[in-house]
Amino acid sequence: MSARANGTAPLHVVVIGGGVIGVCAASWLLREGFAVTIVEPGEIAGGASFGNAGCFNPSSVVPMSMPGNLRKVPGWLLDPLGPLSIRWGYLPQLAPWLGRFLKAAAPDRVAAQAKALGDLLRDSTGVYRPLVENAGARALVRKDGHLMVYPDRRAFEADALAWKLRSDNGIGYTVLEDDALRQQEPALSHDYRLGVFLPNNGHTINPNRFVAALAEAFLRDGGRIQRARALDFDVVDGRLKAVRTDQGPIPADRAVVAAGAFSRPLAHGLGDAIPLDTERGYHVVVKEPGLMPRAPVLDTVGKFVATPMEMGLRLAGTVEFAGLEAKPDWNRAKRLLALGARLFPQLATDAAGDRISVWMGFRPSMPDSLPVIGPASRTADVVYAFGHGHVGMAGGAQTGLLVADLVSGRRPRIALEPFSPKRF
Ligand SMILES: Cc1cc2nc3c(=O)[nH]c(=O)nc-3n(C[C@H](O)[C@H](O)[C@H](O)COP(=O)(O)OP(=O)(O)OC[C@H]3O[C@@H](n4cnc5c(N)ncnc54)[C@H](O)[C@@H]3O)c2cc1C
């Protein structure tokens, strides 16, 4: 199918959601000749895409649910600096998702999920390149690699399965110990004696400005952005007629659901019960940190990333299960500051004035760590692109290309079965 019906006006695609996924999908669709409108009730990149760790990591092929994780959960929950928290009142709602999450840890499933993530995240920075060049946003992107640090070799060896998954999926890395590690990252605490350097990972120095720059290029090239909240769809005889919004209906030939953690009710209206939940995450930005790592550093103990950004050092991570309504628990962000000081002893953690800022965002999380990319049940005119969990930045450009394949009726460039909305 071409972007034009019968050689006349181009088909109109409404993309629901102005985060990294919606903006990438809209940008590729526009390049293919479709007329494209992004529908977004808030700011572009104001959701999870605002405050993440900014990593474009092909190495993020390791699913969140891994064999042996269950044993670690009680310790994580009891540790005030632990990486995981659950608001107990939310547990009944979360239980079915958790059940699926635990099942996803079966070894054959883990290998299949890693392979699918490998396909999605391959050459993340390279896949973004045409969009970045078109937006004149090269200055916002770095390809400096990524360092994962462990207290010692024993801790590294305990992670053997994760490293096997990376090797099996073609991820190259170098193990650095003691002096070699110190040379790579002089600011690192001596409590970390082993690091793994991943040369093919990249990052953006400002995720919000990065996505906004792509969106500005989209507008400049003829795309439209409309302030509205999508509510539902007009579907007649299996064909999409309009996207209904709080500002009235928008006529549409095709639509893309890219509303991140808020996509579930939209899919429900199209006959799909998708087990999407949210892992809430936090960041703290230290504006004058007194040091800057050379590349993003992932602390495998504290399970957070310290990313050098243009506004300071961003410490981002933690997983909190509390749904979409509960207020943020800013102690989670303060915890990141304490962990940052453990990782970099010279870190200036003085919170006076506005030297420190905090943020919370909703990761759109699927229990098997794989996003949903595929057509809706009620009509193939609507394509889903949500549920990217921890890898939405890394997988944004490729997801946009896959959406363009589906909307154009082309064979998708990678196998989409693992991402099917019907896999549950
Ligand atoms: C602390 C933290 C660190 C992270 N670090 C990384 C990282 O280093 N690398 C990485 O790859 N990923 C990372 N992630 C994950 C990444 O941020 C997400 O996967 C990604 O931002 C999801 O993008 P999205 O476009 O699907 O969702 P969002 O950015 O949340 O965008 C969804 C948009 O949809 C809009 N919307 C909602 N409902 C409607 C509606 N009804 N109609 C219209 N619009 C609607 C929202 O307003 C929002 O703007 C991190 C996440 C967190 C929280």
PDB file of all heavy atoms in Angstrom, residues 73-86 301-302 318-320 329-339 342:
ATOM      1  N   VAL A  73      14.222 -10.904  45.447  1.00  0.00           N
ATOM      2  CA  VAL A  73      13.186  -9.883  45.684  1.00  0.00           C
ATOM      3  C   VAL A  73      13.047  -9.501  47.167  1.00  0.00           C
ATOM      4  O   VAL A  73      13.030  -8.311  47.496  1.00  0.00           O
ATOM      5  CB  VAL A  73      11.835 -10.329  45.078  1.00  0.00           C
ATOM      6  CG1 VAL A  73      10.679  -9.492  45.593  1.00  0.00           C
ATOM      7  CG2 VAL A  73      11.906 -10.227  43.560  1.00  0.00           C
ATOM      8  N   PRO A  74      12.961 -10.475  48.118  1.00  0.00           N
ATOM      9  CA  PRO A  74      12.788 -10.074  49.516  1.00  0.00           C
ATOM     10  C   PRO A  74      13.897  -9.137  49.995  1.00  0.00           C
ATOM     11  O   PRO A  74      13.636  -8.127  50.651  1.00  0.00           O
ATOM     12  CB  PRO A  74      12.825 -11.407  50.281  1.00  0.00           C
ATOM     13  CG  PRO A  74      12.458 -12.449  49.262  1.00  0.00           C
ATOM     14  CD  PRO A  74      12.983 -11.937  47.957  1.00  0.00           C
ATOM     15  N   GLY A  75      15.144  -9.451  49.624  1.00  0.00           N
ATOM     16  CA  GLY A  75      16.278  -8.601  50.018  1.00  0.00           C
ATOM     17  C   GLY A  75      16.139  -7.204  49.429  1.00  0.00           C
ATOM     18  O   GLY A  75      16.371  -6.203  50.111  1.00  0.00           O
ATOM     19  N   TRP A  76      15.747  -7.122  48.148  1.00  0.00           N
ATOM     20  CA  TRP A  76      15.574  -5.811  47.510  1.00  0.00           C
ATOM     21  C   TRP A  76      14.504  -5.000  48.230  1.00  0.00           C
ATOM     22  O   TRP A  76      14.648  -3.804  48.465  1.00  0.00           O
ATOM     23  CB  TRP A  76      15.164  -5.988  46.040  1.00  0.00           C
ATOM     24  CG  TRP A  76      16.270  -6.413  45.124  1.00  0.00           C
ATOM     25  CD1 TRP A  76      17.621  -6.261  45.325  1.00  0.00           C
ATOM     26  CD2 TRP A  76      16.132  -7.056  43.847  1.00  0.00           C
ATOM     27  NE1 TRP A  76      18.318  -6.767  44.255  1.00  0.00           N
ATOM     28  CE2 TRP A  76      17.444  -7.258  43.329  1.00  0.00           C
ATOM     29  CE3 TRP A  76      15.049  -7.467  43.078  1.00  0.00           C
ATOM     30  CZ2 TRP A  76      17.677  -7.849  42.096  1.00  0.00           C
ATOM     31  CZ3 TRP A  76      15.281  -8.059  41.841  1.00  0.00           C
ATOM     32  CH2 TRP A  76      16.585  -8.250  41.362  1.00  0.00           C
ATOM     33  N   LEU A  77      13.397  -5.693  48.595  1.00  0.00           N
ATOM     34  CA  LEU A  77      12.271  -4.964  49.206  1.00  0.00           C
ATOM     35  C   LEU A  77      12.617  -4.486  50.612  1.00  0.00           C
ATOM     36  O   LEU A  77      12.156  -3.430  51.053  1.00  0.00           O
ATOM     37  CB  LEU A  77      11.024  -5.855  49.249  1.00  0.00           C
ATOM     38  CG  LEU A  77      10.363  -6.140  47.887  1.00  0.00           C
ATOM     39  CD1 LEU A  77       9.208  -7.112  48.052  1.00  0.00           C
ATOM     40  CD2 LEU A  77       9.868  -4.852  47.235  1.00  0.00           C
ATOM     41  N   LEU A  78      13.450  -5.263  51.327  1.00  0.00           N
ATOM     42  CA  LEU A  78      13.775  -4.899  52.708  1.00  0.00           C
ATOM     43  C   LEU A  78      14.839  -3.805  52.787  1.00  0.00           C
ATOM     44  O   LEU A  78      14.924  -3.081  53.777  1.00  0.00           O
ATOM     45  CB  LEU A  78      14.262  -6.147  53.476  1.00  0.00           C
ATOM     46  CG  LEU A  78      13.156  -7.153  53.799  1.00  0.00           C
ATOM     47  CD1 LEU A  78      13.753  -8.444  54.363  1.00  0.00           C
ATOM     48  CD2 LEU A  78      12.156  -6.563  54.785  1.00  0.00           C
ATOM     49  N   ASP A  79      15.653  -3.671  51.744  1.00  0.00           N
ATOM     50  CA  ASP A  79      16.753  -2.708  51.751  1.00  0.00           C
ATOM     51  C   ASP A  79      16.218  -1.309  51.433  1.00  0.00           C
ATOM     52  O   ASP A  79      15.658  -1.090  50.359  1.00  0.00           O
ATOM     53  CB  ASP A  79      17.777  -3.151  50.679  1.00  0.00           C
ATOM     54  CG  ASP A  79      18.941  -2.176  50.555  1.00  0.00           C
ATOM     55  OD1 ASP A  79      18.949  -1.157  51.276  1.00  0.00           O
ATOM     56  OD2 ASP A  79      19.830  -2.446  49.730  1.00  0.00           O
ATOM     57  N   PRO A  80      16.394  -0.344  52.376  1.00  0.00           N
ATOM     58  CA  PRO A  80      15.880   1.015  52.088  1.00  0.00           C
ATOM     59  C   PRO A  80      16.538   1.623  50.848  1.00  0.00           C
ATOM     60  O   PRO A  80      15.968   2.497  50.205  1.00  0.00           O
ATOM     61  CB  PRO A  80      16.223   1.820  53.345  1.00  0.00           C
ATOM     62  CG  PRO A  80      17.036   0.937  54.221  1.00  0.00           C
ATOM     63  CD  PRO A  80      17.044  -0.459  53.676  1.00  0.00           C
ATOM     64  N   LEU A  81      17.759   1.173  50.494  1.00  0.00           N
ATOM     65  CA  LEU A  81      18.401   1.658  49.272  1.00  0.00           C
ATOM     66  C   LEU A  81      18.170   0.686  48.110  1.00  0.00           C
ATOM     67  O   LEU A  81      18.798   0.777  47.059  1.00  0.00           O
ATOM     68  CB  LEU A  81      19.910   1.832  49.487  1.00  0.00           C
ATOM     69  CG  LEU A  81      20.370   2.958  50.416  1.00  0.00           C
ATOM     70  CD1 LEU A  81      21.879   3.081  50.391  1.00  0.00           C
ATOM     71  CD2 LEU A  81      19.753   4.292  50.045  1.00  0.00           C
ATOM     72  N   GLY A  82      17.270  -0.283  48.315  1.00  0.00           N
ATOM     73  CA  GLY A  82      17.058  -1.337  47.313  1.00  0.00           C
ATOM     74  C   GLY A  82      16.428  -0.807  46.038  1.00  0.00           C
ATOM     75  O   GLY A  82      15.781   0.244  46.028  1.00  0.00           O
ATOM     76  N   PRO A  83      16.600  -1.548  44.922  1.00  0.00           N
ATOM     77  CA  PRO A  83      16.155  -1.041  43.621  1.00  0.00           C
ATOM     78  C   PRO A  83      14.668  -1.240  43.341  1.00  0.00           C
ATOM     79  O   PRO A  83      14.167  -0.787  42.323  1.00  0.00           O
ATOM     80  CB  PRO A  83      16.978  -1.890  42.636  1.00  0.00           C
ATOM     81  CG  PRO A  83      17.264  -3.159  43.359  1.00  0.00           C
ATOM     82  CD  PRO A  83      17.344  -2.815  44.813  1.00  0.00           C
ATOM     83  N   LEU A  84      13.969  -1.956  44.245  1.00  0.00           N
ATOM     84  CA  LEU A  84      12.576  -2.321  43.957  1.00  0.00           C
ATOM     85  C   LEU A  84      11.677  -1.934  45.125  1.00  0.00           C
ATOM     86  O   LEU A  84      12.040  -2.145  46.289  1.00  0.00           O
ATOM     87  CB  LEU A  84      12.509  -3.843  43.741  1.00  0.00           C
ATOM     88  CG  LEU A  84      11.124  -4.459  43.540  1.00  0.00           C
ATOM     89  CD1 LEU A  84      10.529  -4.018  42.212  1.00  0.00           C
ATOM     90  CD2 LEU A  84      11.213  -5.989  43.579  1.00  0.00           C
ATOM     91  N   SER A  85      10.504  -1.375  44.824  1.00  0.00           N
ATOM     92  CA  SER A  85       9.523  -1.181  45.898  1.00  0.00           C
ATOM     93  C   SER A  85       8.118  -1.410  45.347  1.00  0.00           C
ATOM     94  O   SER A  85       7.868  -1.213  44.150  1.00  0.00           O
ATOM     95  CB  SER A  85       9.648   0.214  46.528  1.00  0.00           C
ATOM     96  OG  SER A  85       8.897   1.142  45.812  1.00  0.00           O
ATOM     97  N   ILE A  86       7.249  -1.885  46.233  1.00  0.00           N
ATOM     98  CA  ILE A  86       5.854  -2.137  45.850  1.00  0.00           C
ATOM     99  C   ILE A  86       4.972  -1.432  46.870  1.00  0.00           C
ATOM    100  O   ILE A  86       5.185  -1.562  48.066  1.00  0.00           O
ATOM    101  CB  ILE A  86       5.536  -3.654  45.879  1.00  0.00           C
ATOM    102  CG1 ILE A  86       6.406  -4.410  44.866  1.00  0.00           C
ATOM    103  CG2 ILE A  86       4.067  -3.909  45.575  1.00  0.00           C
ATOM    104  CD1 ILE A  86       6.163  -5.912  44.808  1.00  0.00           C
ATOM    105  N   VAL A 301      24.985  -3.137  41.385  1.00  0.00           N
ATOM    106  CA  VAL A 301      24.497  -3.382  42.748  1.00  0.00           C
ATOM    107  C   VAL A 301      23.272  -2.509  43.006  1.00  0.00           C
ATOM    108  O   VAL A 301      22.194  -2.993  43.349  1.00  0.00           O
ATOM    109  CB  VAL A 301      25.594  -3.070  43.802  1.00  0.00           C
ATOM    110  CG1 VAL A 301      25.086  -3.409  45.199  1.00  0.00           C
ATOM    111  CG2 VAL A 301      26.866  -3.832  43.482  1.00  0.00           C
ATOM    112  N   GLY A 302      23.413  -1.212  42.817  1.00  0.00           N
ATOM    113  CA  GLY A 302      22.307  -0.286  43.062  1.00  0.00           C
ATOM    114  C   GLY A 302      21.276  -0.292  41.946  1.00  0.00           C
ATOM    115  O   GLY A 302      20.182   0.213  42.101  1.00  0.00           O
ATOM    116  N   THR A 318      15.602   2.690  39.511  1.00  0.00           N
ATOM    117  CA  THR A 318      14.636   2.167  40.479  1.00  0.00           C
ATOM    118  C   THR A 318      13.333   1.722  39.797  1.00  0.00           C
ATOM    119  O   THR A 318      12.922   2.275  38.780  1.00  0.00           O
ATOM    120  CB  THR A 318      14.278   3.121  41.665  1.00  0.00           C
ATOM    121  OG1 THR A 318      13.198   3.939  41.309  1.00  0.00           O
ATOM    122  CG2 THR A 318      15.453   3.905  42.156  1.00  0.00           C
ATOM    123  N   VAL A 319      12.734   0.728  40.401  1.00  0.00           N
ATOM    124  CA  VAL A 319      11.443   0.221  39.930  1.00  0.00           C
ATOM    125  C   VAL A 319      10.467   0.295  41.097  1.00  0.00           C
ATOM    126  O   VAL A 319      10.731  -0.240  42.173  1.00  0.00           O
ATOM    127  CB  VAL A 319      11.566  -1.234  39.437  1.00  0.00           C
ATOM    128  CG1 VAL A 319      10.186  -1.865  39.270  1.00  0.00           C
ATOM    129  CG2 VAL A 319      12.332  -1.283  38.117  1.00  0.00           C
ATOM    130  N   GLU A 320       9.366   0.998  40.874  1.00  0.00           N
ATOM    131  CA  GLU A 320       8.335   1.114  41.914  1.00  0.00           C
ATOM    132  C   GLU A 320       7.005   0.695  41.295  1.00  0.00           C
ATOM    133  O   GLU A 320       6.579   1.283  40.280  1.00  0.00           O
ATOM    134  CB  GLU A 320       8.253   2.560  42.395  1.00  0.00           C
ATOM    135  CG  GLU A 320       7.192   2.776  43.454  1.00  0.00           C
ATOM    136  CD  GLU A 320       7.035   4.260  43.793  1.00  0.00           C
ATOM    137  OE1 GLU A 320       6.871   5.076  42.853  1.00  0.00           O
ATOM    138  OE2 GLU A 320       7.085   4.598  44.970  1.00  0.00           O
ATOM    139  N   ASP A 329       7.022   9.014  45.406  1.00  0.00           N
ATOM    140  CA  ASP A 329       7.686   8.873  46.704  1.00  0.00           C
ATOM    141  C   ASP A 329       9.099   9.415  46.510  1.00  0.00           C
ATOM    142  O   ASP A 329       9.992   8.707  46.036  1.00  0.00           O
ATOM    143  CB  ASP A 329       7.705   7.388  47.101  1.00  0.00           C
ATOM    144  CG  ASP A 329       8.579   7.129  48.313  1.00  0.00           C
ATOM    145  OD1 ASP A 329       9.100   8.111  48.892  1.00  0.00           O
ATOM    146  OD2 ASP A 329       8.748   5.951  48.686  1.00  0.00           O
ATOM    147  N   TRP A 330       9.307  10.689  46.871  1.00  0.00           N
ATOM    148  CA  TRP A 330      10.586  11.326  46.535  1.00  0.00           C
ATOM    149  C   TRP A 330      11.751  10.725  47.295  1.00  0.00           C
ATOM    150  O   TRP A 330      12.923  10.998  46.979  1.00  0.00           O
ATOM    151  CB  TRP A 330      10.498  12.845  46.708  1.00  0.00           C
ATOM    152  CG  TRP A 330       9.542  13.460  45.711  1.00  0.00           C
ATOM    153  CD1 TRP A 330       8.426  14.187  45.986  1.00  0.00           C
ATOM    154  CD2 TRP A 330       9.601  13.358  44.272  1.00  0.00           C
ATOM    155  NE1 TRP A 330       7.779  14.540  44.811  1.00  0.00           N
ATOM    156  CE2 TRP A 330       8.485  14.047  43.744  1.00  0.00           C
ATOM    157  CE3 TRP A 330      10.476  12.750  43.370  1.00  0.00           C
ATOM    158  CZ2 TRP A 330       8.231  14.146  42.372  1.00  0.00           C
ATOM    159  CZ3 TRP A 330      10.219  12.841  42.000  1.00  0.00           C
ATOM    160  CH2 TRP A 330       9.114  13.540  41.513  1.00  0.00           C
ATOM    161  N   ASN A 331      11.464   9.888  48.324  1.00  0.00           N
ATOM    162  CA  ASN A 331      12.568   9.171  48.977  1.00  0.00           C
ATOM    163  C   ASN A 331      13.283   8.265  47.987  1.00  0.00           C
ATOM    164  O   ASN A 331      14.462   7.965  48.157  1.00  0.00           O
ATOM    165  CB  ASN A 331      12.044   8.321  50.139  1.00  0.00           C
ATOM    166  CG  ASN A 331      11.689   9.213  51.302  1.00  0.00           C
ATOM    167  OD1 ASN A 331      12.357  10.212  51.538  1.00  0.00           O
ATOM    168  ND2 ASN A 331      10.630   8.859  52.021  1.00  0.00           N
ATOM    169  N   ARG A 332      12.539   7.802  46.960  1.00  0.00           N
ATOM    170  CA  ARG A 332      13.166   6.942  45.953  1.00  0.00           C
ATOM    171  C   ARG A 332      14.252   7.729  45.196  1.00  0.00           C
ATOM    172  O   ARG A 332      15.285   7.191  44.847  1.00  0.00           O
ATOM    173  CB  ARG A 332      12.138   6.410  44.945  1.00  0.00           C
ATOM    174  CG  ARG A 332      10.957   5.682  45.515  1.00  0.00           C
ATOM    175  CD  ARG A 332      11.281   4.341  46.107  1.00  0.00           C
ATOM    176  NE  ARG A 332      11.920   3.418  45.193  1.00  0.00           N
ATOM    177  CZ  ARG A 332      12.633   2.358  45.581  1.00  0.00           C
ATOM    178  NH1 ARG A 332      12.798   2.110  46.864  1.00  0.00           N
ATOM    179  NH2 ARG A 332      13.174   1.552  44.707  1.00  0.00           N
ATOM    180  N   ALA A 333      13.971   8.998  44.939  1.00  0.00           N
ATOM    181  CA  ALA A 333      14.959   9.832  44.233  1.00  0.00           C
ATOM    182  C   ALA A 333      16.154  10.132  45.150  1.00  0.00           C
ATOM    183  O   ALA A 333      17.311  10.072  44.726  1.00  0.00           O
ATOM    184  CB  ALA A 333      14.306  11.123  43.757  1.00  0.00           C
ATOM    185  N   LYS A 334      15.840  10.408  46.443  1.00  0.00           N
ATOM    186  CA  LYS A 334      16.939  10.705  47.385  1.00  0.00           C
ATOM    187  C   LYS A 334      17.867   9.505  47.512  1.00  0.00           C
ATOM    188  O   LYS A 334      19.073   9.632  47.671  1.00  0.00           O
ATOM    189  CB  LYS A 334      16.364  11.047  48.765  1.00  0.00           C
ATOM    190  CG  LYS A 334      15.803  12.437  48.825  1.00  0.00           C
ATOM    191  CD  LYS A 334      15.461  12.800  50.254  1.00  0.00           C
ATOM    192  CE  LYS A 334      14.423  13.894  50.260  1.00  0.00           C
ATOM    193  NZ  LYS A 334      13.436  13.745  51.339  1.00  0.00           N
ATOM    194  N   ARG A 335      17.247   8.336  47.438  1.00  0.00           N
ATOM    195  CA  ARG A 335      18.017   7.102  47.512  1.00  0.00           C
ATOM    196  C   ARG A 335      19.057   7.042  46.375  1.00  0.00           C
ATOM    197  O   ARG A 335      20.196   6.607  46.566  1.00  0.00           O
ATOM    198  CB  ARG A 335      17.033   5.927  47.408  1.00  0.00           C
ATOM    199  CG  ARG A 335      17.637   4.650  47.011  1.00  0.00           C
ATOM    200  CD  ARG A 335      16.580   3.634  46.573  1.00  0.00           C
ATOM    201  NE  ARG A 335      17.281   2.469  46.055  1.00  0.00           N
ATOM    202  CZ  ARG A 335      17.613   2.279  44.781  1.00  0.00           C
ATOM    203  NH1 ARG A 335      17.247   3.146  43.863  1.00  0.00           N
ATOM    204  NH2 ARG A 335      18.281   1.218  44.427  1.00  0.00           N
ATOM    205  N   LEU A 336      18.651   7.541  45.208  1.00  0.00           N
ATOM    206  CA  LEU A 336      19.572   7.538  44.070  1.00  0.00           C
ATOM    207  C   LEU A 336      20.789   8.417  44.348  1.00  0.00           C
ATOM    208  O   LEU A 336      21.905   8.101  43.936  1.00  0.00           O
ATOM    209  CB  LEU A 336      18.852   8.032  42.806  1.00  0.00           C
ATOM    210  CG  LEU A 336      17.889   7.033  42.179  1.00  0.00           C
ATOM    211  CD1 LEU A 336      16.999   7.712  41.139  1.00  0.00           C
ATOM    212  CD2 LEU A 336      18.654   5.884  41.501  1.00  0.00           C
ATOM    213  N   LEU A 337      20.541   9.510  45.083  1.00  0.00           N
ATOM    214  CA  LEU A 337      21.649  10.408  45.412  1.00  0.00           C
ATOM    215  C   LEU A 337      22.647   9.689  46.318  1.00  0.00           C
ATOM    216  O   LEU A 337      23.870   9.775  46.119  1.00  0.00           O
ATOM    217  CB  LEU A 337      21.078  11.646  46.100  1.00  0.00           C
ATOM    218  CG  LEU A 337      21.927  12.892  46.101  1.00  0.00           C
ATOM    219  CD1 LEU A 337      22.337  13.286  44.694  1.00  0.00           C
ATOM    220  CD2 LEU A 337      21.177  14.037  46.777  1.00  0.00           C
ATOM    221  N   ALA A 338      22.125   8.953  47.307  1.00  0.00           N
ATOM    222  CA  ALA A 338      23.006   8.206  48.214  1.00  0.00           C
ATOM    223  C   ALA A 338      23.796   7.148  47.443  1.00  0.00           C
ATOM    224  O   ALA A 338      24.991   6.954  47.666  1.00  0.00           O
ATOM    225  CB  ALA A 338      22.170   7.552  49.317  1.00  0.00           C
ATOM    226  N   LEU A 339      23.114   6.489  46.505  1.00  0.00           N
ATOM    227  CA  LEU A 339      23.801   5.462  45.711  1.00  0.00           C
ATOM    228  C   LEU A 339      24.852   6.091  44.801  1.00  0.00           C
ATOM    229  O   LEU A 339      25.927   5.522  44.575  1.00  0.00           O
ATOM    230  CB  LEU A 339      22.789   4.682  44.869  1.00  0.00           C
ATOM    231  CG  LEU A 339      21.843   3.769  45.646  1.00  0.00           C
ATOM    232  CD1 LEU A 339      20.767   3.204  44.720  1.00  0.00           C
ATOM    233  CD2 LEU A 339      22.608   2.631  46.314  1.00  0.00           C
ATOM    234  N   ARG A 342      27.929   6.630  46.630  1.00  0.00           N
ATOM    235  CA  ARG A 342      28.648   5.368  46.852  1.00  0.00           C
ATOM    236  C   ARG A 342      29.477   5.008  45.601  1.00  0.00           C
ATOM    237  O   ARG A 342      30.575   4.493  45.704  1.00  0.00           O
ATOM    238  CB  ARG A 342      27.617   4.272  47.157  1.00  0.00           C
ATOM    239  CG  ARG A 342      28.202   3.008  47.733  1.00  0.00           C
ATOM    240  CD  ARG A 342      27.115   2.117  48.274  1.00  0.00           C
ATOM    241  NE  ARG A 342      26.473   1.360  47.203  1.00  0.00           N
ATOM    242  CZ  ARG A 342      25.425   0.549  47.389  1.00  0.00           C
ATOM    243  NH1 ARG A 342      24.888   0.422  48.596  1.00  0.00           N
ATOM    244  NH2 ARG A 342      24.911  -0.125  46.407  1.00  0.00           N
TER     245      ARG A 342
END
